[in-house]
Amino acid sequence: MWLLMAWAIPLLLGTTRETSMLLTCMETVTRELVSWMRGHESSVSSISVHAAGRYAITTSSDTAQLWDLDTFQRKRKLNIRQSVGIQKVFFLPFSNTILSCFKDNSIFAWECDTLFCKYQLPAPPEGSSIVYKVFAVTRDGRILAAGGKSNHLHLWCLETTQLFRIIQMPTKVRAVRHLEFLPDSFDAGSNQVLGVLSQDGIMRFVNIQTCKLLFEIGSLEEGISSSVISPHGRYIASIMENGSLNIYSVQALTQEINKPPPPLVKVIEDLPNNTLSSSNLKMKMVSGRVQRPARSKESRIQTRILKQNLEGNVDNKENELSEGLNKKRLQILLKGYGEYPTKYRMFIWRSLLQLPENHTAFSSLVDKGTHVAYLNLQKKYPIKSRKLLRVLQRTLSALAHWSAIFSDTPFLPLLAFPFVKLFQNNQLICFEVVATLIINWCQHWFEYFPNPPINILSMIENVLAFHDKELLQHFIERDVTSQLYAWPLLETVFSEVLTREEWLRLFDNVFSNHPSFLLMAVVAYNTCSRAPLLNSTLKDDIEYFFHHRNNLDINDVIREVYRLMETTPADIHPRSMLDAFVALTKGQYPIFNQYPKFIVDYQTQERERIRNDELDFLRERQTVENMQAKVDEQRAEDEAWYQKQELLRRAEETRREMLLQEEEKMVQQRHRLAAAKRELKMKEMRLQDAARRRFLKLQQDQREMELRRLEDEIERKVQMRDEEIAATAKDLEMKQLELESQKRHYEKDLTRSQDAIAKEIRDGADAHRRKVALEEHMFRNLLETSQLGNRTRRVVEDNLAKAEQACLDADWQIQALHKQKCDDQQRSEGYQEVATLLRKNRRREIEVLNAMMKEEAKKWKEAEEKELHLESAKRASALSDASRKWFLKQETSAAREHSGDLLCEAELPWLQREHMASNYLSQTSQLNGVSEMDSSTQTFSSRKTTEWNHTEHDLLKKVRNLRQRLTAQARDRCQPPHLLVT
């Protein structure tokens, strides 16, 4: 939210012409300065902001400017002739229309975006002499109220662009200073109540439809200087003329109107049709009393009448009573207490002076403005309080307009000032008190005008001579006249020598007695001060005494005045020469002509003549000044022409010199340019040489970097090769460990299977042993017969072990020789096969695993066949149980016959023997079928173990060969490259 402010402070930057008005835009939240906008050359009178907050219009007396608040730049400027002048330019509420009002009463409506003229309001009626000064628009933008220096208000309908009503305010209203509509929450923006602030400081609120005065704020004593209404219409803030700020509640004001009994309000009535020639627009406000509606019987409220409280608050009696006080009783009260009560003093004074309170006559005097004689009053009487100065100036101007002599009376400000200070809040009373004082207590003061009132001073001197000849003689000896000891007291009405309370006490008695009491007070003041006056020997000291406050009891002075009033002889008493008290007339003030009119007229004529002479002199001086200005202007033009010619000549010479200098500079510049070219050529050659050297060095550096990169690549390859070899070795170790673990796993599984088979065989053997328990005798004989076969078997077993050991040794030696040959052969072939073997490694491992899996499946199949064979053997054994005895006999004989053959066959190779033994055992088992279960079981298990050992031996051999080949290939790969040739 932006806050726009206009400052009338000229910029003290640059030249004195930079005195344009400043528009300051402030941020209301952060209180920071946003922008300064310059453009006005006179003071800004109004600022209007668009409802959307994007544009703002500022108005001065000579121009209106449209500002863009987004960029803070001036968008358009309205310039007019000085003879027309701008009154106000503003946005219509909640509208995109700009209304411009000029001093010739012309009003135009413009489109904000395109600045196209939408319409112009017609001229007011010919009978209307109003000049528009102030304007107000309802919130819906339909009605425009305009007023000025008149008691008429014009209401325009902006939709039809017609004047639909003229409201005539009371006769007290002579000018409208401010107009503002009172918002209401329930009228949808079509405000019906208009606030009118007039020149008397009273703001009246009128309903524009019913033409009824609703309420008013402010008073003549407490006038309103300016006023503003809150956006919701709940409060009214007013700045009073005394500088105070009053806040009014609209709700309380409206409730106060509706309270019983109804107050005296202003009613607006229609004028007759012939008041306005061609329309019935005009409405008139007159005073009246609002009639209270009659109450029904059901709505009557029981009331009680309160008796008047005589001891209650009577602060408002000053306004309630105008006559009826007994002057004699007041004098008795004054003599008893020495003064009037402070609370009732102003009321008593107004009653004693019988003030008529002629508002209309006083307003006519005030409306004449400030008198010429008192325009520069503040220079002669510098008063700190501007309000007091303004009231004093207005009172003196009213007195000067009342009577011409008061415009030339030098002591009038001193005479009126104490009363102005006392009645500064009620200027009417102040004026009438001063006027009454002049008419009654200043009688014969102006007969010797412009000299002091010598006749009045002579009266005072006669009374002083009668009552205190010594003091008068002292004055005569010191050359002190009545103009020093009496006139200062009279022209200031004792305000210089008395305090406020003393002065009020004195004038309580002055206003309560004959006008001669004031003259006697002067004599009493001198006689009561005779001691310090007699001691004063210098004239300046005495003069100082009557212009400053002194240590004097005012009660003694008042008692002395009363004594002088009673003891002074009638022939010298001022009462016989002064008229009795005469009050001001009601309605109009009396004519004051108790002064030498010819002197005043002569002074006026002389002043007018002097003014005319001054005007003629000023005109002649202006003519002479104009002629002198023209002569000076012509002389200045001639001098300027000669100076210009001289300047042209000098400029021509200067330019010629400059041309010569430029030519010399061009030659020098050409030489410098040639030298610069040579220097640039040399520099270019040096740069090319340096660039060639840098290029060669760059190529050399690149080659060195390439070599270093190749070396790094070689080192990296070597490192990678070493890492691969190490990884391969680790992989081989892991493979070996895996094979070892697989071998142990196979051995463990084999052991478990053997244990299970052995347990099964043991169980069968135990069962069979119980069956053959009866045949032990015959079997013992068989064992005795086969002892020779057992010894032969031991020999064969020993020979078989020796042969097997011999075969193993021979195989080991053959394997060692073969390994050496293979190593030699593989060393020459391994270098070429390393890469191929590494790629085929995984494939061969998979083949090995597949072979092992196939071998495993084959072995399981063989195991199943052997199981079937075992089952058939068991069935055959069960079938041959019946003929076991015959079989044993036949076996014994067969054992005896073959015992010699076994000894002969011990020399055969162990493989043939083993094959023959296995065939023999199988034939024996097939033929006999009744061999013992233990021997058959052992034969089967040994055969199965032998087959498994052969299979395992083959697999281990293949794995060993593969490991050897991989190790040889790895070893060949680790050798230097030059060994590949060998």
Side-chain angles (χ1 to χ4, degrees), residues 698-959:
L698 180 61
Q699 286 184 344
Q700 184 179 358
D701 294 341
Q702 287 181 352
R703 291 178 181 178
E704 291 178 357
M705 289 176 62
E706 185 69 20
L707 291 175
R708 285 196 297 270
R709 187 180 64 81
L710 292 175
E711 291 177 358
D712 295 340
E713 186 69 20
I714 292 171
E715 292 177 0
R716 188 175 63 83
K717 292 291 184 180
V718 171
Q719 186 177 1
M720 290 177 60
R721 185 183 62 190
D722 295 340
E723 290 177 356
E724 289 178 357
I725 292 171
T728 305
K730 289 181 181 179
D731 292 339
L732 292 175
E733 291 177 0
M734 291 299 297
K735 293 293 182 180
Q736 185 177 358
L737 293 175
E738 289 178 0
L739 292 175
E740 292 294 335
S741 64
Q742 289 177 2
K743 179 180 178 181
R744 293 191 187 94
H745 182 69
Y746 294 153
E747 290 178 355
K748 188 176 180 181
D749 291 342
L750 181 61
T751 304
R752 288 178 182 175
S753 63
Q754 288 177 358
D755 291 341
I757 294 171
K759 185 178 180 181
E760 184 179 358
I761 292 173
R762 282 195 300 271
D763 292 339
D766 291 338
H768 181 70
R769 194 177 290 111
R770 286 191 298 270
K771 293 180 182 179
V772 297
L774 298 177
E775 300 177 358
E776 290 180 358
H777 181 68
M778 294 178 68
F779 184 71
R780 189 178 295 109
N781 293 330
L782 177 61
L783 290 175
E784 290 177 359
T785 306
S786 62
Q787 285 179 357
L788 180 59
N790 291 334
R791 287 193 299 270
T792 304
R793 187 176 60 222
R794 291 193 200 97
V795 174
V796 173
E797 289 177 355
D798 292 337
N799 294 330
L800 179 61
K802 290 179 181 179
E804 184 177 0
Q805 183 63 36
C807 290
L808 290 173
D809 293 337
D811 290 337
W812 182 76
Q813 292 177 0
I814 293 170
Q815 186 177 2
L817 293 174
H818 182 69
K819 183 177 180 182
Q820 291 177 359
K821 289 183 179 181
C822 291
D823 290 336
D824 294 338
Q825 184 177 0
Q826 288 177 358
R827 188 177 298 109
S828 61
E829 296 176 356
Y831 296 114
Q832 291 81 11
E833 296 179 358
V834 170
T836 306
L837 291 176
L838 289 176
R839 287 193 298 270
K840 296 179 179 179
N841 187 15
R842 292 184 181 178
R843 186 174 60 189
R844 290 183 179 182
E845 288 179 357
I846 295 172
E847 291 176 358
V848 171
L849 292 176
N850 291 332
M852 291 175 67
M853 290 173 66
K854 290 179 181 180
E855 189 67 26
E856 183 181 1
K858 182 178 179 182
K859 291 299 180 181
W860 280 111
K861 185 176 181 181
E862 185 179 356
E864 290 177 357
E865 291 177 358
K866 288 182 180 181
E867 286 292 336
L868 293 174
H869 182 69
L870 180 61
E871 293 294 332
S872 64
K874 287 181 180 180
R875 287 193 299 271
S877 178
L879 292 175
S880 65
D881 285 341
S883 59
R884 182 169 286 110
K885 290 181 181 181
W886 179 81
F887 179 76
L888 289 173
K889 293 179 180 180
Q890 195 70 25
E891 183 67 28
T892 304
S893 62
R896 289 174 181 176
E897 290 177 358
H898 290 287
S899 59
D901 297 333
L902 291 171
L903 292 173
C904 294
E905 292 175 358
E907 301 297 332
L908 295 174
W910 67 275
L911 291 174
Q912 296 178 0
R913 292 177 185 177
E914 184 178 0
H915 181 66
M916 291 172 65
S918 62
N919 291 331
Y920 173 76
L921 289 175
S922 62
Q923 291 176 1
T924 302
S925 62
Q926 292 177 359
L927 293 173
N928 296 326
V930 290
S931 63
E932 294 180 349
M933 185 61 64
D934 293 335
S935 60
S936 64
T937 302
Q938 292 175 359
T939 301
F940 173 75
S941 62
S942 63
R943 185 169 52 203
K944 189 173 183 180
T945 304
T946 303
E947 292 176 356
W948 286 357
N949 288 332
H950 278 292
T951 303
E952 183 180 1
H953 180 72
D954 294 337
L955 291 174
L956 290 174
K957 186 176 180 180
K958 292 180 179 180
V959 171

Side-chain angles (χ1 to χ4, degrees), residues 284 335 508 939:
K284 184 177 180 181
K335 289 181 179 180
D508 285 342
T939 301

Side-chain angles (χ1 to χ4, degrees), residues 337-444:
Y337 293 96
E339 61 179 342
Y340 292 127
T342 305
K343 184 184 297 185
Y344 308 106
R345 175 176 283 122
M346 300 298 105
F347 168 69
I348 294 174
W349 282 17
R350 292 171 63 177
S351 300
L352 291 174
L353 299 178
Q354 300 177 17
L355 302 180
E357 299 185 15
N358 299 326
H359 291 279
T360 305
F362 177 71
S363 298
S364 64
L365 294 175
V366 172
D367 291 342
K368 293 180 180 180
T370 304
H371 199 274
V372 180
Y374 300 107
L375 286 175
N376 299 322
L377 183 64
Q378 68 276 5
K379 295 181 180 179
K380 188 174 182 181
Y381 300 100
I383 301 175
K384 293 182 179 180
S385 176
R386 297 184 62 84
K387 178 187 175 183
L388 195 61
L389 177 63
R390 186 169 58 251
V391 175
L392 177 61
Q393 190 177 30
R394 192 173 297 176
T395 303
L396 296 177
S397 299
L399 292 172
H401 292 308
W402 176 43
S403 181
I405 192 174
F406 297 126
S407 61
D408 297 325
T409 306
F411 61 86
L412 187 62
L414 301 175
L415 179 71
F417 180 75
F419 299 97
V420 169
K421 192 173 182 180
L422 188 63
F423 297 99
Q424 58 182 330
N425 293 326
N426 195 333
Q427 301 177 26
L428 173 63
I429 300 300
C430 177
F431 171 79
E432 292 186 349
V433 168
V434 175
T436 305
L437 179 70
I438 292 173
I439 290 176
N440 293 279
W441 281 270
C442 298
Q443 297 180 38
H444 310 293

Side-chain angles (χ1 to χ4, degrees), residues 282-312:
K282 200 168 185 179
M283 312 295 288
K284 184 177 180 181
M285 288 181 57
V286 297
S287 300
R289 185 175 296 275
V290 176
Q291 298 296 330
R292 196 161 113 193
R295 294 180 179 269
S296 61
K297 294 182 179 179
E298 293 79 3
S299 61
R300 287 182 180 176
I301 301 175
Q302 184 179 1
T303 59
R304 293 184 297 176
I305 300 175
L306 300 178
K307 295 182 179 180
Q308 184 178 5
N309 187 4
L310 298 178
E311 299 177 358

